[in-house]
Amino acid sequence: MDFGCTLEDEAFRDEVREWLAGRVPWAGDRRGWERTLGAAGWIGLGWREEGYGNRTVGLGRQVVWAEEYARSRAPTRSGHIGENLLAPTLIAHGSAEQKARFLPPVAAGDELWCQGYSEPGAGSDLAGIRTEAVREGDTYRITGQKIWTSLAHEADWCFVLARTEAGSRRHRGLSFLLVPMDQPGRIDVRPIRQLTGTSEFNEVFFDGAHARVEHLVGGEGNGWQVAMSLLGFERGVSTLAQQIGFAQELAQVVEVAVATGAADDPVVRDLLVRQWAELRTMRWNALRTLGSSADRGAPSVAKLLWGRWHQRLGELAVRVRGAAASVGPADWTAEAPYELDALQHLFLFSRADTIYGGSDEIQRTIIAERVLGLPREAKG
């Protein structure tokens, strides 16, 4: 059994497996999959409140759901930003009206969200935001640019961190606004083509976009506190689900190593065993810290561990294939996008693991300053 799981939780595991087995692999569209999950009550299990079309379960069952979802190779979620980031933030900081307006569509899988945080020149340095929001009557007029905005091309709404106090600096004068994405001429979404040939990330340009005053969360000027609270929700049971995916990738790399004969090399065997051992260590560390807020450095330590681990796995995936790693599954032409197989995608995409979600440098600074109490880094 897993952390916190009772016999009843294990019965719940059987329920989850049975439901997923009848629907995975999913042949429909991503939005349709979200609505399927919502109709069955699988969205919002970890929310502290219910009554928005969701049901809540204990931590053990949240772990069961996350692990079985990953183990079944179910589709990548397009609603996870709304479910796992926005919703807990609204429950903690939003008004009753905001929760009543926005949580039911998230629970139903009807409205998708994206996160408007990073900016050019202020990626991991969140306090360096320059996007401005000026109040005009009952709305805020937003001007600025966000970058690396995941799934913005699919999203209905974006929660935007913007500067509402003219002349303010760093974490002061920021506000957390809920902005509708359907504003032609005022919001421009431009996909960013990555090394993998895909475009999950986007640039988003706000040119006088409007956000209603009642969609300001936590009060004007309190955006930093709300944003920091949201970042704390990025970790949790999802970390364990991520590790299930890592284990599946590692198993594939091992299978290829055996098939190509690379596993006969004692150096490669040592690297494979080390990857397995480190993954087990990360799992037990995640279980140890799950549900606890006492260790302020735990999220940063976890990010440092899995980011570099995943990069090393991508490097191993190329190494065990040898020269064949440079050959794609289909002919590449100038007219058609190039195709990658799973291990090639793993290698290329994992190059970003030590950057997104807070770069390694930022995580080390957090540990140094907030946990070890070292002198703070000078900031302009």
Side-chain angles (χ1 to χ4, degrees), residues 2-163:
D2 290 311
F3 171 83
C5 291
T6 64
L7 289 174
E8 290 76 14
D9 293 334
E10 291 304 309
F12 179 74
R13 187 184 297 277
D14 293 336
E15 176 189 347
V16 170
R17 284 176 175 170
E18 181 179 356
W19 189 87
L20 288 169
R23 292 163 179 82
V24 176
W26 172 255
D29 63 282
R30 288 159 62 96
R31 192 177 289 264
W33 176 245
E34 290 297 320
R35 289 176 174 144
T36 297
L37 292 171
W42 295 121
I43 299 177
L45 298 179
W47 298 355
R48 290 190 322 204
E49 297 178 7
E50 55 185 16
Y52 303 103
N54 66 306
R55 55 172 165 160
T56 61
V57 299
L59 189 57
R61 294 191 182 190
Q62 292 174 46
V63 171
V64 165
W65 165 255
E67 291 192 332
E68 291 304 322
Y69 189 91
R71 190 172 285 118
S72 71
R73 300 184 184 272
T76 301
R77 295 284 309 280
S78 58
H80 69 94
I81 295 175
E83 178 186 6
N84 299 321
L85 299 184
L86 175 77
T89 302
L90 284 184
I91 290 171
H93 300 281
S95 66
E97 293 77 14
Q98 289 169 344
K99 290 188 282 187
R101 162 61 186 87
F102 292 107
L103 294 184
V106 172
D110 286 334
E111 288 184 347
L112 303 181
W113 286 79
C114 61
Q115 177 176 347
Y117 274 18
S118 296
E119 298 186 3
S124 293
D125 182 18
L126 191 56
I129 279 176
R130 290 178 292 181
T131 294
E132 296 181 346
V134 178
R135 182 164 179 174
E136 297 178 345
D138 60 353
T139 66
Y140 284 93
R141 188 172 184 273
I142 304 170
T143 304
Q145 179 187 354
K146 300 294 180 178
I147 198 167
W148 310 122
T149 310
S150 300
L151 305 179
H153 57 297
E154 299 180 9
D156 304 295
W157 288 80
C158 181
F159 49 89
V160 176
L161 196 59
R163 202 163 290 284

Side-chain angles (χ1 to χ4, degrees), residues 70-71 73 238-254 275-276 278-280 282-283 302-303 305-311 313-314 343 346 349-350 353 356:
R71 190 172 285 118
R73 300 184 184 272
S238 59
T239 302
L240 293 169
Q242 177 192 54
Q243 291 171 7
I244 295 292
F246 287 172
Q248 292 169 338
E249 290 174 337
L250 176 58
Q252 187 175 5
V253 172
V254 171
Q275 288 294 113
W276 177 87
E278 289 179 355
L279 181 59
R280 296 299 297 176
M282 286 192 292
R283 174 175 175 76
K303 177 61 169 61
L305 290 175
W306 73 253
R308 192 64 192 97
W309 181 93
H310 202 219
Q311 282 190 348
L313 183 66
L343 294 185
L346 164 63
F349 193 87
S350 65
D353 285 340
Y356 69 78

Side-chain angles (χ1 to χ4, degrees), residues 281-353:
T281 301
M282 286 192 292
R283 174 175 175 76
W284 289 114
N285 183 61
L287 290 171
R288 179 182 64 84
T289 59
L290 191 61
S292 172
S293 58
D295 188 348
R296 293 184 299 170
S300 294
V301 170
K303 177 61 169 61
L304 287 170
L305 290 175
W306 73 253
R308 192 64 192 97
W309 181 93
H310 202 219
Q311 282 190 348
R312 289 195 300 271
L313 183 66
E315 292 160 4
L316 257 178
V318 171
R319 180 169 181 169
V320 300
R321 293 181 65 184
S326 62
V327 181
D331 291 337
W332 297 353
T333 67
E335 294 76 22
Y338 58 81
E339 293 184 33
L340 302 171
D341 61 33
L343 294 185
Q344 290 170 328
H345 186 278
L346 164 63
F347 170 68
L348 291 176
F349 193 87
S350 65
R351 308 321 297 167
D353 285 340

